[in-house]
Amino acid sequence: MANQSPLDVYLGNDWTRHKADFWRAMADHVSQADAGQVVLVMVGLPARGKSLISGKVKRYLQWTSVKAEIFNVGKYRREGTPHPDAKFFDAGNPEGEKARRAAAEAAVADMLKWLKDSANKVAILDATNSTKSRRKWIYEKLEEARMAHCFVESKCDDEELIMANILDVKTTSPDYVGQNPEEAARDFRDRIKMYEKVYQTIDESEKHLTYVKVTNIGHQVVINRIQDYLQSRLVYFLTNLHIKPRSIWLSRHGESEYNLEGKIGGDANLSSRGFQYAKMLPELLRRSGLPKDAPLTVWTSTLKRTNQTAEGIVEEFGWEKLQWKALDELDSGTCDGMTYAEIADQYPEDFKARDDDKYNYRYRGGESYRDVVIRLEPIIMELERSENVLIITHQAIVRCIFAYFMQVDQAKSPWMEVPLHTLMKLTPRAYGVEVEKFKANISAVSTWRPKGSTAKHHEAGEADTVVGEVVANGHGNGKEEEQKNGTN
C-alpha cells in the first residue's frame, strides 16, 4: 500500500467525513484575515533567486485571492538602458549609478501609488538593494507612507546552485535577449563581481527592520520583528521555498468507467483505454526528459483511478508514491455520480449558478473551486519545498495547480480544458514557467464542457501522436497557447 501524506496520517479517518466543512472554514478565515498591506523588499546579489522568489510569492498570493504586484527595478532601468554591460553596474560609474537610482525611484513611486488602493495588499520591490544606504532610503519612504515592510534577503554560497542560476538567467533575462549565451554568462558573472564590491548583508545595525534572511535555500533562516498575520503567512511561505532547478509533471488519471458514462465524481476504475495510458505513461515520462540521478516522487489522490494510473510507474522505476486526500477530485456533494444532463434536469438553478460563477459555486453538500484552492495550500507548500514530483490527480485539481504555476485568472481557471491521456511538464525558470505537453496516442472521451453549452461533455477526436511540444512560457500573463476556455 502506498504511503499516506503526513497531513492525512495526522488527521485520520474523520478527515474524510469533515474535509469539506474544514476547507470552507479555512477559506472564510483566510479571506477575513488578509486585511493589511505590506511591502516585500528583496535583497541579494544577482543569481541568488530574487526574481524567482518574487514570482513565487506573487503567484501564491494571487492564487489565494490576495492582490499582489511585482515592481522590478531592472524593468524600469531597461526603459533607458535595455542591454547594459557589466561596467554599467560598477559603483564607480557615475552615469550608471544615476540611471539605476532613477529606476529605483520610479519603481518605488509607482509601487506607493499602487498601494493607495486598499484592495491591493502586497507589493514586491524586486532589486538587489545591496547596500545599507539603499535600504535606509527605502525604509524611510515606507515609513513616510505608513506602510508595513519586510526585507527578504536571499544569500547563497553554493557554487553549483549559483552557476545553475547564471545559466538560467543568461537564457531567460531580458537583458541578454539575442546575445551569445557564453558571452552573456561571462558578462553576468562580471556584473556579479561589481555588486560584490559594495554588497552589505543585513546585520545587527539594521535590527529596526522587519526582515527574513534565507541562506542556501533554507538551510538557515533568520527572522526579525515579524508582527502581523500577513507577514507571518508570507514568512511561512518563504521558509518553504527553494531555488534549485526542478520540474513538476502533471497528469490526470487515465480514462475511467465514469468518464465513459459521462458521470462526475465517484471512485470508478479505469477503462480499458485508461489502463493503456497507465501502461504508456513511463514511456511518456522518458520522452519528457527525466533528470539524471534524481528520482521523482509520485503523488496521487486516494481514489482508485489515480492509483491504478500510477501502478506501472512505481513498478518500473521504483519511485516512492504518496497518497494525498487533498488531491482528491472536487467534491460534487449530492451530485456525485450524476451526469450533467441529470444535474441540469434535477437542479436547473444550480446548473445555471455554476455556469454564472464556476469558481465560487459550491455543490450542495460539496465544494467550490475556491474551497479546493484552500485545501490545496498544503500541497503547494510541499511542492515548493520539494524537487522533482509527478502528480497524478483529477481534472479540477490539475486546473487549480496549473493555475497556480501559470497565474491563470480565477474566473478562467475552472473552464480550462485538461484532456485525458496527456502529460504536462512544468519547469519554473527565473522569469516564468515553461510548459511542455506530451500526448499519448490513445483515444479518450472528452470531459470538457464549454461555458454556456448543453449539459453534456463534448466528444474529442482521435488523440495526437506522442509529441514533446513547448506550448507556453508563463510570465505573469496567465496565457497558454493551446488552452481553451471550457468544465468538470
Side-chain angles (χ1 to χ4, degrees):
M1 182 177 176
N3 294 325
Q4 287 185 296
S5 72
L7 179 66
D8 294 337
V9 171
Y10 175 73
L11 291 172
N13 294 330
D14 285 345
W15 171 240
T16 303
R17 296 197 298 271
H18 302 302
K19 64 178 182 180
D21 291 338
F22 174 80
W23 293 121
R24 280 197 290 271
M26 282 294 294
D28 293 339
H29 169 70
V30 168
S31 63
Q32 292 167 9
D34 287 336
Q37 291 178 301
V38 65
V39 176
L40 293 188
V41 184
M42 301 306 299
V43 176
L45 291 166
R48 267 60 177 183
K50 296 184 303 300
S51 293
L52 182 63
I53 292 170
S54 297
K56 285 173 180 274
V57 170
K58 178 184 175 181
R59 75 183 183 214
Y60 164 70
L61 290 169
Q62 291 190 326
W63 188 71
T64 56
S65 304
V66 178
K67 290 188 177 181
E69 191 55 78
I70 297 171
F71 296 85
N72 180 278
V73 173
K75 181 178 179 181
Y76 287 83
R77 183 261 301 155
R78 276 187 287 275
E79 292 176 4
T81 313
H83 303 295
D85 61 20
K87 294 178 182 178
F88 177 84
F89 300 92
D90 189 339
N93 179 349
E95 290 300 316
E97 172 63 25
K98 181 179 178 181
R100 287 183 283 127
R101 174 75 182 201
E105 290 174 348
V108 169
D110 282 354
M111 180 183 72
L112 293 176
K113 182 178 179 181
W114 182 80
L115 286 165
K116 286 183 178 179
D117 183 346
S118 60
N120 297 330
K121 297 301 182 185
V122 180
I124 305 164
L125 185 62
D126 182 16
T128 57
N129 299 315
S130 53
T131 64
K132 292 180 179 181
S133 60
R134 175 58 58 87
R135 294 193 290 270
K136 180 175 182 292
W137 170 73
I138 294 169
Y139 172 76
E140 289 173 349
K141 296 290 287 186
L142 296 179
E143 283 290 291
E144 182 182 336
R146 296 186 176 181
M147 196 61 58
H149 71 275
C150 181
F151 286 80
V152 180
E153 183 174 12
S154 179
K155 299 185 67 177
C156 183
D157 54 19
D158 184 327
E159 287 301 322
E160 183 178 343
L161 184 57
I162 292 170
M163 282 306 302
N165 288 334
I166 289 173
L167 293 174
D168 189 22
V169 167
K170 79 175 184 181
T171 58
T172 60
S173 171
D175 281 352
Y176 296 111
V177 171
Q179 294 191 28
N180 177 281
E182 294 308 313
E183 291 179 3
R186 191 180 310 114
D187 181 82
F188 193 60
R189 282 192 289 264
D190 289 341
R191 181 189 300 190
I192 294 172
K193 291 176 183 176
M194 295 297 180
Y195 276 102
E196 286 175 336
K197 293 178 182 178
V198 297
Y199 182 69
Q200 296 170 302
T201 187
I202 297 175
D203 60 22
E204 278 296 307
S205 68
E206 295 174 287
K207 62 184 179 181
H208 59 288
L209 301 179
T210 295
Y211 65 79
V212 181
K213 291 177 67 171
V214 182
T215 303
N216 288 336
I217 56 171
H219 287 185
Q220 182 184 52
V221 178
V222 178
I223 299 171
N224 187 64
R225 294 177 64 88
I226 300 300
Q227 299 174 38
D228 61 27
Y229 172 81
L230 187 52
Q231 288 179 347
S232 299
R233 187 176 171 192
L234 288 168
V235 167
Y236 178 64
F237 179 71
L238 288 166
T239 55
N240 279 281
L241 294 182
H242 73 75
I243 55 176
K244 288 183 178 179
R246 54 81 178 259
S247 294
I248 295 157
W249 287 258
L250 271 177
S251 176
R252 291 179 66 185
H253 54 79
E255 180 187 71
S256 74
E257 293 173 349
Y258 260 30
N259 292 150
L260 290 173
E261 298 171 20
K263 295 179 178 179
I264 64 173
D267 193 15
N269 291 308
L270 294 182
S271 70
S272 60
R273 294 188 300 198
F275 279 111
Q276 289 179 45
Y277 177 68
K279 190 174 181 179
M280 188 178 186
L281 197 48
E283 176 60 24
L284 283 182
L285 282 162
R286 288 192 186 91
R287 296 188 184 205
S288 74
L290 292 174
K292 296 180 181 178
D293 304 318
L296 275 64
T297 302
V298 182
W299 294 359
T300 70
S301 74
T302 64
L303 302 177
K304 288 187 291 189
R305 53 195 184 272
T306 63
N307 285 279
Q308 289 169 351
T309 305
E311 283 176 359
I313 295 167
V314 174
E315 181 179 338
E316 183 160 342
F317 295 109
W319 295 335
E320 179 185 17
K321 179 163 79 78
L322 291 175
Q323 291 183 356
W324 293 80
K325 282 187 173 67
L327 288 174
D328 284 0
E329 180 59 296
L330 184 150
D331 186 347
S332 49
T334 57
C335 295
D336 190 73
M338 297 174 67
T339 66
Y340 283 122
E342 290 170 339
I343 297 170
D345 180 56
Q346 296 183 38
Y347 305 109
E349 292 181 358
D350 288 67
F351 189 84
K352 182 180 183 303
R354 193 164 194 255
D355 253 22
D356 291 343
D357 186 3
K358 191 175 179 182
Y359 186 80
N360 289 298
Y361 170 81
R362 182 177 290 146
Y363 277 108
R364 299 181 182 207
E367 294 179 301
S368 67
Y369 269 84
R370 183 179 292 278
D371 296 331
V372 170
V373 164
I374 298 302
R375 75 157 145 107
L376 283 174
E377 273 206 70
I379 294 289
I380 294 302
M381 290 294 182
E382 194 64 25
L383 268 179
E384 289 293 3
R385 63 187 296 163
S386 301
E387 294 187 31
N388 298 297
V389 177
L390 165 64
I391 302 175
I392 300 173
T393 183
H394 307 269
Q395 182 167 242
I397 309 305
V398 171
R399 283 172 174 157
C400 291
I401 294 174
F402 186 86
Y404 168 75
F405 282 101
M406 301 305 294
Q407 300 184 52
V408 180
D409 183 80
Q410 288 178 349
K412 295 180 180 179
S413 61
W415 296 103
M416 290 188 294
E417 184 177 14
V418 183
L420 289 163
H421 300 173
T422 301
L423 176 68
M424 290 191 290
K425 180 182 180 182
L426 282 60
T427 305
R429 308 293 297 274
Y431 292 88
V433 177
E434 181 182 88
V435 181
E436 300 170 87
K437 285 187 177 180
F438 300 86
K439 301 178 182 179
N441 187 26
I442 300 169
S443 297
V445 297
S446 171
T447 60
W448 175 67
R449 186 183 69 82
K451 183 176 182 178
S453 66
T454 54
K456 67 176 183 179
H457 288 135
H458 286 239
E459 291 297 324
E462 289 296 310
D464 296 334
T465 55
V466 178
V467 294
E469 181 181 13
V470 179
V471 297
N473 283 288
H475 294 276
N477 54 15
K479 295 180 181 177
E480 188 202 357
E481 292 172 15
E482 289 194 347
Q483 183 175 302
K484 296 179 182 178
N485 285 333
T487 169
N488 171 19

